[in-house]
Amino acid sequence: MDAPHVSRALVPDPYGSHEPPIYQTSTFTFDSAAQAAALFAGEKPGFVYTRLGNPTVAAWEARLAALEAVHPAPPVPLVPSVPSALAFSSGMGAISATLLALAGQGDHVVATEPLYGGTAELLGDLLPHLGIRVTTVRAGDADGLRRAVSLPRTVALFVETPANPTLDVVDLRLAAALAQEVGARLVVDNTFATPVFQRPLQLGADIVVHSSTKYLGGHGTVIGGAVVTTDTAWLNDRLLTLRKLLGAVPSPFDAWLLYQGSKTLELRVRRASETALRLAQWLAAQPAVSWVRYPGLPDDPGHEVASRQMSGYGAMVAFGIKGGMEAGARFLDALRVAKRAVSLGCTDTLVEHPATMTHAHLPKAEREAAGICDDLIRVSVGLEDLELIQSDFEQALGAARLAAAVDR
């Protein structure tokens, strides 16, 4: 019989280690049969098997909860209770388990779009296959969102803000109010903003999810996911059970890497965000660029809402390159400093073309309906000097223009 949930409290290190030790073990031994029985019965705190709990993972979970609870944010009411966190082996593990813990056959889930490609596939294919109805609404369409959440048996509203890859911004206070009216849970993917710049729990969200692969880890060395909520009963019951049964638990070493990466989170994202703003301003003045999306630009459609609910605008930039998909490929091929790669939140600047990479599995009509056009280039700004990134982009834009002129 599987063991019930036992305490995930961190076991103190007997040697007084400054950092959480890596408990790289699959199982734990017992001093006696009585101790084992007490642990399995939940009568004593401790650990029995790493899929069910591990001291290193527990240390990372405690840090996650603290990140969402205490970082600076705009003046808003305090979280009514201390949040708890559950770590997962990937962001998709966290998102999938969360939605499966909230919705069952016959239930209805609403989501704003665009969304990360994996999330879009989950909502478009897997949940309907399980008998869960899904309605998507374009981010910013308040009337459409209101109609969608009013449909029968709506149990969850899922939001990314800023959205991947268009940087659309969703009004979290409005989303929270709409969800509350119908008794649904508001789930917010806070990966792009990070807890440094946005704390959804303070704005009315019920559940926050992260791909901790990205900014929380910050160095491109580990895959991870996280769920943070003040509903500790739901987290420690339904969600924990799903993680146990689906097996989406992080390894102790991954948890340790994420713990270490999170120590420089604020330093990294603030530096990258400052560079991103200046890069977005520069891109907006380039003749080869048709449009730029960055919430920190005063003329960005999401600027007003972002200014109210975020304390910074993040390090992601999206822009349209004149010449569409072909010009985008030439721009990427000409990069010398920035890396051609998916993912985001690394110390290096990463550039990708969503229509042929992260969102290529979506039909063209669906991509364009979500604002993911063929000319869209997504940039995860890293920690390089602005001048280095800017000069690299300048020569790459020039190469794309020159190649287009030669073709004509």
Side-chain angles (χ1 to χ4, degrees):
M1 182 177 70
D2 281 335
H5 169 49
V6 293
S7 171
R8 298 195 309 278
L10 179 62
V11 174
D13 176 57
Y15 302 104
S17 174
H18 168 238
E19 297 294 338
I22 305 173
Y23 287 84
Q24 193 67 44
T25 181
S26 61
T27 194
F28 298 82
T29 60
F30 312 115
D31 294 335
S32 66
Q35 183 205 26
L39 287 169
F40 271 79
E43 296 169 356
K44 285 186 176 182
F47 301 91
V48 299
Y49 185 61
T50 284
R51 180 166 59 87
L52 308 180
N54 177 283
T56 312
V57 176
W60 170 229
E61 290 170 337
R63 189 167 185 85
L64 279 166
L67 285 171
E68 282 291 349
V70 303
H71 263 285
V76 290
L78 294 176
V79 170
S81 59
V82 177
S84 295
L86 200 61
F88 285 79
S89 55
S90 70
M92 282 310 303
I95 292 168
S96 298
T98 295
L99 291 176
L100 290 173
L102 294 175
Q105 187 174 22
D107 287 333
H108 179 233
V109 172
V110 178
T112 56
E113 59 178 358
L115 294 164
Y116 167 64
T119 308
E121 190 169 359
L122 171 72
L123 291 164
D125 296 335
L126 180 58
L127 294 192
H129 177 73
L130 298 175
I132 301 169
R133 296 176 297 120
V134 177
T135 300
T136 56
V137 180
R138 184 66 191 270
D141 182 0
D143 291 337
L145 199 59
R146 186 173 285 105
R147 289 192 298 270
V149 298
S150 67
L151 293 174
R153 294 186 64 172
T154 300
V155 295
L157 169 56
F158 187 94
V159 167
E160 280 182 19
T161 184
N164 183 3
T166 62
L167 283 299
D168 287 342
V169 175
V170 178
D171 187 330
L172 288 180
R173 288 187 177 90
L174 172 63
L178 293 176
Q180 189 173 19
E181 285 178 9
V182 299
R185 303 287 190 97
L186 174 60
V187 183
V188 179
D189 187 331
N190 204 31
T191 298
F192 271 27
T194 81
V196 177
F197 292 140
Q198 182 172 266
R199 287 186 294 168
L201 295 176
Q202 303 279 18
L203 300 167
D206 299 288
I207 300 163
V208 175
V209 296
H210 286 277
S211 172
S212 46
T213 307
K214 314 306 195 289
Y215 290 104
L216 298 183
H219 294 79
T221 57
V222 61
I223 300 292
V227 179
V228 187
T229 179
T230 56
D231 189 347
T232 56
W234 172 82
L235 181 138
N236 287 323
D237 182 12
R238 183 65 177 153
L239 189 66
L240 186 71
T241 298
L242 272 172
R243 187 184 73 169
K244 176 185 76 171
L245 297 179
L246 296 176
V249 62
S251 75
F253 185 59
D254 286 353
W256 184 83
L257 285 173
L258 290 164
Y259 187 102
Q260 298 303 318
S262 70
K263 288 188 171 186
T264 59
L265 172 65
E266 187 162 357
L267 293 172
R268 289 184 285 101
V269 299
R270 288 196 183 280
R271 162 64 187 266
S273 179
E274 291 170 2
T275 304
L277 173 59
R278 296 169 65 191
L279 180 66
Q281 293 168 335
W282 178 82
L283 283 167
Q286 302 309 302
V289 173
S290 53
W291 54 268
V292 179
R293 290 297 307 272
Y294 181 72
L297 296 176
D299 60 350
D300 187 89
H303 179 71
E304 190 272 331
V305 173
S307 296
R308 284 192 279 108
Q309 67 188 28
M310 300 176 71
S311 59
Y313 301 107
M316 301 298 297
V317 178
F319 70 92
I321 186 168
K322 292 180 180 177
M325 191 177 292
E326 189 174 349
R330 287 167 171 159
F331 171 80
L332 263 65
D333 287 345
L335 291 171
R336 297 170 183 167
V337 175
K339 306 297 189 292
R340 292 172 290 273
V342 298
S343 196
L344 54 111
C346 295
T347 55
D348 300 320
T349 294
L350 307 180
V351 184
E352 69 122 350
H353 181 243
T356 58
M357 297 181 185
T358 52
H359 294 74
H361 66 283
L362 296 175
K364 182 179 176 67
E366 289 185 24
R367 289 199 308 268
E368 292 183 345
I372 308 170
C373 301
D374 288 346
D375 64 343
L376 192 157
I377 302 292
R378 192 192 74 178
V379 183
S380 170
V381 178
L383 302 184
E384 305 94 341
D385 289 338
L386 170 68
E387 293 74 17
L388 188 61
I389 303 172
Q390 193 170 295
S391 63
D392 189 30
F393 277 34
E394 186 171 28
Q395 64 84 23
L397 288 169
R401 286 198 309 270
L402 180 61
V406 169
D407 286 350
R408 285 197 293 269

